[in-house]
Amino acid sequence: LVTIALTGGPCAGKTSALSALEASAKSAGYHMMVSTEIATLMRAGGCDEAITPALAFQTSLVRLQVQLEDALAAVGAATDLPTILITDRGAMDAKSYMSPHTWSAVLEAIGATEESLLSRYDGVIHLVTAADGAPQSYKWGNVTDDSGHWVYRKESPEEAIVTDRRTQAAWAAHPRRVIIPNAGSFSNKTKHA
């Protein structure tokens, strides 16, 4: 089992790139599993960051991220097939959305360290936000993403760039991290991933 965190800033193409990555993995003979983006799952379940203290929301998010990844990894390992698990964001992404103090409290609450979270992933693919290098493609507000799904993206282009760089910094210590900028078309970006 190989676990890859697919990460990046807002409107980087993570969710859209998953189908291309899945097709590529399957054509190479791999069984493919995908862990959905946990923040989206929690919001769909009624969790509202505006009324929930940051520590409670973020602790629950990271805990659920780890639990879902562990469950999928156990199923993938049981198949005896060569399996790739791609996570739509990973546990370290949460660090980008909170203060250092809150992040330390989250780590303490779940009994983890940054090193233990980083070691969960065999590799990290960081797709740079469209706001940085392809601003004409950056969509924010109530929009439909490239896969036709409704999304609410609150970050302005400037905020998206800041968030993207914080996400890059959160994963900087991973030894097998690849950053994919916006150069050329989106299909070239997904091919590079």
Side-chain angles (χ1 to χ4, degrees), residues 74-163:
V75 170
T79 66
D80 289 330
L81 297 171
T83 301
I84 298 174
L85 168 59
I86 296 187
T87 66
D88 187 347
R89 297 198 173 269
M92 290 299 297
D93 279 70
K95 181 179 181 180
S96 309
Y97 292 90
M98 66 186 89
S99 71
H101 174 74
T102 303
W103 177 241
S104 294
V106 167
L107 292 175
E108 183 176 335
I110 66 168
T113 64
E114 286 192 6
E115 294 76 20
S116 69
L117 293 179
L118 287 165
S119 70
R120 299 176 57 78
Y121 307 94
D122 298 297
V124 178
I125 300 171
H126 181 104
L127 302 177
V128 173
T129 178
D132 186 0
Q136 71 284 0
S137 299
Y138 186 77
K139 301 174 186 176
W140 63 302
N142 292 312
V143 298
T144 302
D145 69 13
D146 294 334
S147 299
H149 301 102
W150 175 87
V151 296
Y152 174 71
R153 191 169 291 118
K154 65 181 180 180
E155 298 90 348
S156 69
E158 296 78 17
E159 292 168 327
I161 292 169
V162 169
T163 300

Side-chain angles (χ1 to χ4, degrees), residues 25-79:
K26 285 184 176 181
S27 71
Y30 290 92
H31 174 66
M32 177 80 164
M33 301 179 78
V34 176
S35 171
T36 190
E37 182 180 26
I38 299 302
T40 300
L41 180 67
M42 288 177 62
R43 288 182 196 112
C47 296
D48 185 345
E49 295 158 276
I51 60 172
T52 307
L55 181 59
F57 184 87
Q58 295 294 348
T59 300
S60 295
L61 185 148
V62 177
R63 186 174 282 130
L64 183 56
Q65 177 87 38
V66 168
Q67 290 170 338
L68 179 57
E69 289 172 5
D70 286 349
L72 291 172
V75 170
T79 66

